[in-house]
Amino acid sequence: MKKEFIKAKDHYLLLIFCLFVGAAQAQVGTKKSNTIETAEQVVQRQLEAYNARNIDAFMATYSDSVKLYRYPHRLISKGKKSMRKGYARMFEKVTELHCKIVKRIVLGNKVIDQERVTGFPGWKKNGPLEAVAVYTVKNGLIDSVTFIKGK
């Protein structure tokens, strides 16, 4: 039985192709200070702004046409203006608001966060809000989020 080998130049072309494809899949964000943000970095920046209750920095991570869904596909908010209203009100009223990531999964332009949110008045006896958020990042901005509410 005759074994066939990939020629050295073919091997290098295949390696370069794989590296290019891998880099293209990982770099779904926009250029920011001459670096390219990954989907995970965009979502992390959003989380940090959320925890700081900084509405401008938070909204800067979202596309103008962002859609928020309640699992499986119930549209709860469409567009940045609508989203900003609700979150600005929450950031103002819930001064101890904090989201902790329990677990994060990243797959291409999708970031799936298991979240534990604390700080809502009256929720202390029931414990923190447990939820999963599935973020889709396109062109460096969060384009959609699907929330799966736990307890």
Side-chain angles (χ1 to χ4, degrees):
M1 181 187 233
K2 183 179 177 183
K3 291 185 178 180
E4 293 189 26
F5 294 94
I6 298 175
K7 294 179 184 176
K9 70 177 183 176
D10 293 336
H11 178 72
Y12 290 120
L13 288 174
L14 181 61
L15 178 62
I16 290 168
F17 175 76
C18 289
L19 289 172
F20 175 76
V21 169
Q25 288 177 344
Q27 298 175 346
V28 297
T30 57
K31 283 193 171 190
K32 184 178 172 159
S33 304
N34 293 327
T35 61
I36 297 177
E37 283 190 299
T38 65
E40 183 176 17
Q41 289 169 324
V42 173
V43 171
Q44 182 62 35
R45 200 162 40 91
Q46 174 264 170
L47 173 69
E48 291 165 4
Y50 178 95
N51 284 337
R53 295 182 328 280
N54 181 334
I55 192 65
D56 292 326
F58 178 74
M59 294 308 302
T61 62
Y62 287 90
S63 73
D64 289 340
S65 60
V66 62
K67 293 178 184 152
L68 304 181
Y69 296 93
R70 181 167 296 128
Y71 180 83
H73 49 74
R74 182 174 164 232
L75 184 65
I76 56 175
S77 178
K78 183 177 180 182
K80 207 171 187 176
K81 287 181 183 179
S82 172
M83 183 182 169
R84 184 182 188 94
K85 270 187 203 175
Y87 278 89
R89 191 172 27 243
M90 182 175 64
F91 287 174
E92 184 181 310
K93 292 182 186 264
V94 186
T95 58
E96 294 181 34
L97 183 66
H98 184 79
C99 178
K100 177 183 177 186
I101 302 305
V102 176
K103 184 174 186 177
R104 176 172 279 173
I105 299 170
V106 180
L107 184 62
N109 72 332
K110 302 270 194 253
V111 178
I112 305 164
D113 282 347
Q114 179 183 351
E115 302 175 343
R116 184 169 293 136
V117 182
T118 57
F120 289 100
W123 286 21
K124 289 184 180 179
K125 63 181 174 183
N126 296 327
L129 170 68
E130 301 281 341
V132 171
V134 181
Y135 299 91
T136 300
V137 177
K138 292 182 182 174
N139 299 317
L141 296 170
I142 300 168
D143 191 59
S144 69
V145 186
T146 299
F147 296 103
I148 305 169
K149 189 176 175 184
K151 66 172 187 158

